[in-house]
Amino acid sequence: MPEIIEDIAQFTCPPPLGVRDKIVLGHGSGGRLSAELLRDVFLPLFSNPVLDRLDDQAVLEIGGSRLAFTTDSFVVKPLFFPGGDIGSLAVHGTVNDLAMGGAVPLFLSAGFILEEGFPMEELRRIATSMAKAAAAAGVAVVTGDTKVVERGKGDGLYVNTTGIGLVRDGARLSASQARPGDRVILSGPIGDHGIAILATREGLEFETEILSDSAPLHQLVEAMLGVSTAIRCLRDPTRGGLSSALNEIAVQSSVSIQIDETRIPVHDQVKGACELLGLDPLYVANEGKLVAIVAPEVAGEIVAAMRRHEFGREAVVIGSVGEKRAGLVTMKTAFGSTRIVDLLAGDQLPRIC
Amino acid sequence: MPEIIEDIAQFTCPPPLGVRDKIVLGHGSGGRLSAELLRDVFLPLFSNPVLDRLDDQAVLEIGGSRLAFTTDSFVVKPLFFPGGDIGSLAVHGTVNDLAMGGAVPLFLSAGFILEEGFPMEELRRIATSMAKAAAAAGVAVVTGDTKVVERGKGDGLYVNTTGIGLVRDGARLSASQARPGDRVILSGPIGDHGIAILATREGLEFETEILSDSAPLHQLVEAMLGVSTAIRCLRDPTRGGLSSALNEIAVQSSVSIQIDETRIPVHDQVKGACELLGLDPLYVANEGKLVAIVAPEVAGEIVAAMRRHEFGREAVVIGSVGEKRAGLVTMKTAFGSTRIVDLLAGDQLPRIC
């Protein structure tokens, strides 16, 4: 295997992108360009021990409590899509980022940027959807802000949700904690959200409608942590898909990760759409899935617990953590060969969340 | 006085605006339309005891600590203006909303929405300015997010900052706590920020440049609370200006407030610009001023403490809280008459913060 990878690496590593003087869509992809923007612009300026961990949420010690704190702006297009809308998505996205830190989500803020002329009725629908999603997830929206920009200067509605949660006792989750021998668990089929958005946007029609998987995952996480706290890391593979989540973990933990293509569940409809459109499901966004790195001795029990939960019915071990080639993610393909699973180089699908 | 007000009221109260089916710029003004949007759309859906207090920050009890939590999206145009830019403004705005809750600002999140094609150099300047402002205010940016929208779908750069602070022991500040007899203190001259933005946007030239007053106020608040905790309420009169801040307090506390025009400091340049442009300084935004409602017996001492501080040198008592006509703000004019100071009906200056 190592020899093959050496060869492949020369052909699949994208060339250095050089200094970019303008923002491109790929800077919002959650892939390589997003990582560059973070590394070259934001991290040097804002560096501090909490931010530098590069987890999806900051964990803060305040008054003896460990709080998780996370922010997300949502610019998804279209605002309404099969399986959800920007309102429910904004709640699920932030609830999930808190949950991935092992926190019980408690409070949300909501910051709206509205375009002049935006229909009040749509705002009402979106706010209603947010309120329902928040109530279902047991979080309260406790503070908010609304700004309006002139017609033509926005794109309907953008919303930022920022969340606070209380990290559970015993949970110490971080992308830097994967260890050789650990197992990689995926909670279910990938690619539904991205393909649902794309299908709506492009007016694609499939035999049965593909629904976004947008869902709150904090109770699934609670069930998992109830089994064992030997969970090293949780990530929700949103923008940039499963590949980005695994690459970030591999880099942060200085390990390699091997996954097995035949074990990764993908709905047939999504598989078909990806083939048709030339997309790789590994890079397509999910909004109701998680990937977990867990100690090998508890993997079976955790998968079993996940399968008892609504949002983990198809949970499965898809691979393991290896020692060599730190920061490298590889996949054994259905044909038996091995390929590198790199960070997304450009932007496969903009405006996905 | 009461008779005169009765008469004036008939002429100055704007007519009911009716049901609006589209967002207009005034919905982001911080005035009457913003209040309507909150009352008609957001509050009924998200109602909870913390949100319903309508303070500029939520105060949350978590693990024995009282945390302040606040969010603000910034869409100011232009991004760079005399005295600051959107980066420093985004830090000051959120630091100040925490400070107005009597909290020591601790942590910020930063959520960027960038337009494709936005110059990397400007992003770097803005992020640098944010980082400097955060360091100066003693807060750490601990989590962030970046989204990119297609060219023509955004307006360069929008940023959301959400903040967490620790409320000081003994501080119990809320817009609902003003009591008859309390004094109204203003920390300095009003209108600088709004006029600085407008002058830049419209290419107006004055003898000397008008600078935004954008500044972090948490240390001024610390000095004030060091004198006495008999401070009922603090507000920073940003969007909607001093009039909106006072109206919100009057309504929330079910009191009337009387101010004296001759006591309200306004820089000559700002006064001149307002006359020229037909603007009322009471409705122009500030980003480095606060209004305090304090017990009468401590007002003198608090003003003295404020004047010793960089951002409170021109602090002054501008009025007092009265019992009758709950929710009404009136001003004794320079000519000796009394007029109602109402909420801003439309939008005097959009995209000010």
Side-chain angles (χ1 to χ4, degrees):
Chain A
M1 187 175 92
E3 290 75 11
I4 297 172
I5 291 173
E6 296 288 355
D7 289 336
I8 296 172
Q10 296 177 29
F11 295 97
T12 60
C13 282
L17 291 157
V19 178
R20 292 186 177 263
D21 62 355
K22 288 194 190 307
I23 290 293
V24 298
L25 286 172
H27 283 120
S29 69
R32 182 174 299 277
L33 286 171
S34 297
E36 281 184 11
L37 190 62
L38 199 60
R39 187 195 62 205
D40 297 344
V41 178
F42 294 121
L43 280 186
L45 287 167
F46 294 109
S47 176
N48 60 64
V50 179
L51 183 67
D52 296 350
R53 275 204 293 271
L54 295 182
D55 283 319
D56 282 347
Q57 66 300 115
V59 174
L60 310 169
E61 309 259 353
I62 305 182
S65 301
R66 282 192 306 147
L67 296 183
F69 181 43
T70 188
T71 192
D72 232 331
S73 294
F74 295 84
V75 300
V76 65
K77 192 176 171 178
L79 299 174
F80 302 91
F81 48 83
D85 57 51
I86 193 170
S88 53
L89 185 67
V91 170
H92 295 157
T94 293
V95 160
N96 290 350
D97 279 344
L98 293 173
M100 298 306 122
V104 180
L106 297 175
F107 302 107
L108 293 186
S109 66
F112 293 90
I113 298 175
L114 305 173
E115 183 181 352
E116 183 186 14
F118 189 71
M120 193 66 83
E121 196 40 47
E122 291 194 17
L123 176 62
R124 224 181 270 276
R125 268 176 73 195
I126 289 164
T128 303
S129 167
M130 277 187 89
K132 277 187 190 162
V139 294
V141 177
V142 289
T143 191
D145 176 57
T146 305
K147 293 283 162 29
V148 181
V149 296
E150 299 92 337
R151 202 180 294 264
K153 293 300 181 184
D155 193 16
L157 176 150
Y158 302 136
V159 61
N160 173 285
T161 48
T162 301
I164 295 180
L166 195 56
V167 181
R168 287 181 189 77
D169 285 340
R172 297 264 167 201
L173 303 171
S174 174
S176 60
Q177 298 198 113
R179 304 177 202 175
D182 283 351
R183 297 295 184 263
V184 181
I185 299 173
L186 178 64
S187 65
I190 57 171
D192 294 9
H193 178 73
I195 297 300
I197 296 289
L198 190 68
T200 314
R201 199 152 69 196
E202 307 299 334
L204 306 178
E205 291 196 9
F206 301 104
E207 247 173 72
T208 57
E209 193 176 41
I210 297 171
L211 299 182
S212 166
D213 60 344
S214 181
L217 299 176
H218 60 299
Q219 286 174 335
L220 177 63
V221 172
E222 199 171 320
M224 295 167 70
L225 284 168
V227 171
S228 169
T229 53
I231 299 174
R232 321 288 192 203
C233 163
L234 297 174
R235 277 271 162 133
D236 53 339
T238 54
R239 279 189 295 179
L242 181 61
S243 70
S244 289
L246 293 177
N247 269 282
E248 284 164 16
I249 295 167
V251 168
Q252 288 295 106
S253 294
S254 303
V255 294
S256 67
I257 292 177
Q258 292 84 39
I259 55 174
D260 185 337
E261 187 172 21
T262 60
R263 296 196 182 185
I264 300 172
V266 185
H267 285 136
D268 285 343
Q269 291 275 58
V270 170
K271 208 176 283 177
C274 280
E275 276 166 19
L276 198 73
L277 299 163
L279 299 176
D280 183 338
L282 289 180
Y283 295 94
V284 179
N286 313 277
E287 292 290 344
K289 295 298 178 303
L290 66 80
V291 58
I293 310 290
V294 308
E297 63 274 15
V298 298
E301 215 182 331
I302 288 176
V303 166
M306 290 172 76
R307 288 185 178 169
R308 287 192 292 272
H309 192 280
E310 178 182 6
F311 300 128
R313 294 228 186 286
E314 295 177 67
V316 62
V317 172
I318 60 163
S320 60
V321 176
E323 199 144 11
K324 289 165 65 183
R325 308 258 339 176
L328 186 76
V329 180
T330 57
M331 182 167 78
K332 194 177 157 199
T333 69
F335 307 108
S337 62
T338 297
R339 73 168 174 95
I340 290 175
V341 178
D342 211 335
L343 272 177
L344 187 62
D347 195 349
Q348 195 169 241
L349 296 171
R351 309 281 299 272
I352 217 71
C353 59
Chain B
M1 189 175 89
E3 290 75 9
I4 296 174
I5 292 172
E6 296 287 356
D7 288 336
I8 295 174
Q10 296 179 28
F11 295 96
T12 60
C13 282
L17 292 158
V19 179
R20 289 183 179 264
D21 63 354
K22 288 195 191 306
I23 291 293
V24 297
L25 286 172
H27 283 120
S29 69
R32 180 175 300 278
L33 286 170
S34 297
E36 281 184 12
L37 190 62
L38 198 61
R39 186 195 62 206
D40 297 344
V41 178
F42 294 120
L43 280 186
L45 288 167
F46 294 110
S47 176
N48 61 63
V50 179
L51 184 67
D52 297 350
R53 275 204 294 271
L54 294 182
D55 282 320
D56 283 346
Q57 66 298 118
V59 174
L60 311 168
E61 309 258 352
I62 305 182
S65 300
R66 282 195 303 148
L67 296 184
F69 181 43
T70 189
T71 193
D72 232 329
S73 294
F74 294 84
V75 300
V76 65
K77 193 178 172 180
L79 300 174
F80 302 91
F81 48 82
D85 57 51
I86 193 171
S88 53
L89 186 67
V91 171
H92 295 157
T94 293
V95 160
N96 290 349
D97 279 346
L98 293 173
M100 298 307 121
V104 180
L106 297 175
F107 303 107
L108 293 185
S109 66
F112 293 90
I113 298 174
L114 306 174
E115 183 182 353
E116 184 185 13
F118 189 70
M120 194 64 85
E121 195 41 46
E122 291 194 18
L123 176 60
R124 224 181 270 276
R125 269 175 72 193
I126 289 164
T128 303
S129 166
M130 277 187 89
K132 277 187 189 165
V139 295
V141 177
V142 290
T143 192
D145 176 55
T146 304
K147 293 284 163 30
V148 181
V149 296
E150 299 92 337
R151 203 182 293 265
K153 294 300 183 183
D155 192 15
L157 177 151
Y158 302 136
V159 61
N160 174 286
T161 48
T162 301
I164 295 180
L166 194 57
V167 182
R168 287 181 190 78
D169 284 342
R172 298 265 167 201
L173 303 170
S174 174
S176 60
Q177 300 198 112
R179 303 177 202 172
D182 283 349
R183 297 295 184 263
V184 181
I185 299 172
L186 178 65
S187 65
I190 58 171
D192 294 9
H193 178 74
I195 297 299
I197 295 289
L198 190 69
T200 314
R201 197 151 70 198
E202 308 299 333
L204 306 178
E205 292 197 7
F206 301 105
E207 247 172 75
T208 57
E209 193 176 41
I210 297 171
L211 299 181
S212 165
D213 60 344
S214 180
L217 298 175
H218 60 300
Q219 286 175 334
L220 176 63
V221 171
E222 201 173 317
M224 294 167 71
L225 285 167
V227 171
S228 169
T229 52
I231 300 174
R232 320 291 192 203
C233 163
L234 298 174
R235 278 272 161 131
D236 54 338
T238 55
R239 281 188 294 180
L242 181 62
S243 70
S244 288
L246 293 176
N247 270 282
E248 285 163 19
I249 295 167
V251 168
Q252 288 296 107
S253 294
S254 303
V255 294
S256 67
I257 293 177
Q258 292 84 40
I259 55 174
D260 186 337
E261 186 173 22
T262 60
R263 294 196 185 187
I264 300 172
V266 186
H267 285 136
D268 285 342
Q269 292 275 58
V270 170
K271 206 176 285 178
C274 282
E275 277 167 17
L276 198 71
L277 300 162
L279 300 175
D280 184 338
L282 289 179
Y283 295 95
V284 178
N286 313 275
E287 292 290 344
K289 296 298 179 303
L290 66 78
V291 58
I293 309 290
V294 307
E297 62 275 15
V298 297
E301 217 183 328
I302 286 175
V303 167
M306 291 173 75
R307 289 186 176 170
R308 288 192 291 272
H309 191 280
E310 179 182 3
F311 300 127
R313 296 228 185 287
E314 296 178 67
V316 60
V317 171
I318 60 163
S320 59
V321 176
E323 199 142 13
K324 290 164 66 183
R325 308 252 345 175
L328 185 76
V329 180
T330 56
M331 180 168 78
K332 193 176 156 198
T333 69
F335 307 109
S337 62
T338 296
R339 73 169 174 96
I340 290 175
V341 177
D342 210 333
L343 272 177
L344 189 61
D347 195 348
Q348 198 171 238
L349 294 172
R351 307 282 298 273
I352 216 70
C353 59

